[in-house]
Amino acid sequence: MIDFRYHIVSIVAIFFALGAGVVLGAGPLKGTGSELVQSQAEKDRQQLADARAELVQVKALDKYRDDYVAKVTAGLTDGKLDGKRIVVVTMPGADGDLTNSLQDELEKAGGQVTTRVSLDAKLFDPGQRQLVEPLVTDLVTADTPFPPDSTTYERAGLILARGVAAKEEGRPADADSTKILSGLTGAKLLSLKPSQIKDRASLIVVVAAKPPTPTPDNSSYSDAVDFITGLDQASGGVVVAGTPETAQNGGLLKALRSDSEATKIVSSVDVADIPSGRMTVVFALAEQATGKAGQYGAMDAKNGVAPSAVQTKDN
């Protein structure tokens, strides 16, 4: 992009100089036009060189920050999730590399990822509500009562959580969970990897996708927020992991954090794309296991950079 601009400036300079030469001829202003163009070109070259140097410095500092976290603070999450089974749920369009990095961090902390659930865009399509509502009602189990004032998508979250998770550790998959997962995958609302689960998890990490373009209204995420709330109610805890973009207008974390009821039980981290942020996801998940919730990260995160239990106390 920088080189392209440089060539454009050079081409414009050439044509300007030719035009100036034709107009001015060999008169008293001979050479003035080309000298001005040459001076401007030199300034542009210097600006481009400065911008290039600044970009190199920013990249170097970013690499230093990430390397520092990875090498100097390595081991801080070790054992934080020992004995914990975890389900990773990806929202439609969530980044695969980010999801893989999060899974690696969860496993380094001692957690076991039992399955990855990929939600299909069809699940939240308003035109598919007539499919979701009766399906959710058909899949309800005796041990998953719906709150009287629950929404369709809150119930859908409760149902999925019953299929892959439980409030306590050590719950195996059973006939009800098999029925639920068969119904949801058969309707092509989601997919599982692996497709069969042996043990249900207690904790859930939801991976948010970057906002689409054009940026949607925050209210467009109300069904997704209800769904995530349902996941939390039928499990041992949920952390939503995203990038800074997801915590700004048009992002899932922004919508979640705007819901005062949801933030009482669901945690979120808006810097999961960097090593320190992925560590914070681990800390937040461990905190969820104790029944607490918090909103962490860099973008208007109400509870700061990480759970207070892992922050250095002021003297």
Side-chain angles (χ1 to χ4, degrees), residues 27-248:
L29 297 180
K30 180 180 179 181
T32 302
S34 61
E35 289 172 0
L36 288 173
V37 171
Q38 182 64 27
S39 175
Q40 184 59 48
E42 289 295 336
K43 289 180 180 178
D44 284 344
R45 289 192 191 96
Q46 186 58 50
Q47 288 176 351
L48 292 172
D50 292 344
R52 187 180 290 111
E54 183 177 353
L55 180 60
V56 170
Q57 180 174 324
V58 168
K59 287 183 176 180
L61 289 174
D62 284 346
K63 185 177 185 303
Y64 169 80
R65 176 199 62 198
D66 291 346
D67 284 351
Y68 188 94
V69 171
K71 297 175 181 178
V72 178
T73 65
L76 287 182
T77 61
D78 288 359
K80 293 294 183 181
L81 298 175
D82 277 352
K84 298 297 183 183
R85 293 181 176 85
I86 304 157
V87 172
V88 175
V89 177
T90 57
M91 296 297 292
D95 183 77
D97 290 339
L98 173 60
T99 304
N100 291 337
S101 296
L102 280 166
Q103 180 168 341
D104 289 343
E105 193 67 39
L106 297 174
E107 291 174 345
K108 282 195 300 183
Q112 176 190 346
V113 175
T114 58
T115 188
R116 278 167 57 159
V117 181
S118 300
L119 303 181
D120 193 277
K122 181 180 177 182
L123 175 61
F124 300 107
D125 183 349
Q128 298 296 324
R129 187 180 289 268
Q130 69 274 16
L131 166 66
V132 176
E133 288 180 344
L135 180 62
V136 166
T137 301
D138 183 58
L139 295 176
V140 67
T141 63
D143 60 350
T144 310
F146 292 147
D149 58 348
S150 59
T151 67
T152 295
Y153 283 91
E154 185 178 348
R155 295 176 180 182
L158 281 161
I159 287 297
L160 174 58
R162 173 59 181 83
V164 297
K167 286 185 174 294
E168 306 86 14
E169 282 291 338
R171 294 297 182 90
D174 55 16
D176 283 336
S177 58
T178 300
K179 173 188 173 183
I180 288 169
L181 297 178
S182 295
L184 294 173
T185 55
K188 300 188 185 307
L189 298 178
L190 53 85
S191 61
L192 300 175
K193 186 178 181 181
S195 58
Q196 301 291 326
I197 64 169
K198 178 181 178 182
D199 298 306
R200 288 186 282 160
S202 63
L203 299 172
I204 299 174
V205 173
V206 176
V207 185
K210 290 183 179 181
T213 303
T215 302
D217 185 87
N218 290 333
S219 63
S220 66
Y221 290 104
S222 60
D223 288 342
V225 172
D226 287 347
F227 183 84
I228 292 167
T229 301
L231 289 177
D232 190 284
Q233 292 172 0
S235 69
V238 172
V239 175
V240 184
T243 60
E245 296 94 330
T246 67
Q248 300 177 64

Side-chain angles (χ1 to χ4, degrees), residues 65-66 98 102 240-247 253 257 268-281 296-299 301 304-306:
R65 176 199 62 198
D66 291 346
L98 173 60
L102 280 166
V240 184
T243 60
E245 296 94 330
T246 67
L253 263 65
R257 291 173 174 180
S268 66
V269 178
D270 62 37
V271 284
D273 54 337
I274 59 176
S276 57
R278 291 190 286 275
M279 292 172 65
T280 301
V281 171
Y296 307 110
M299 307 301 297
V305 297

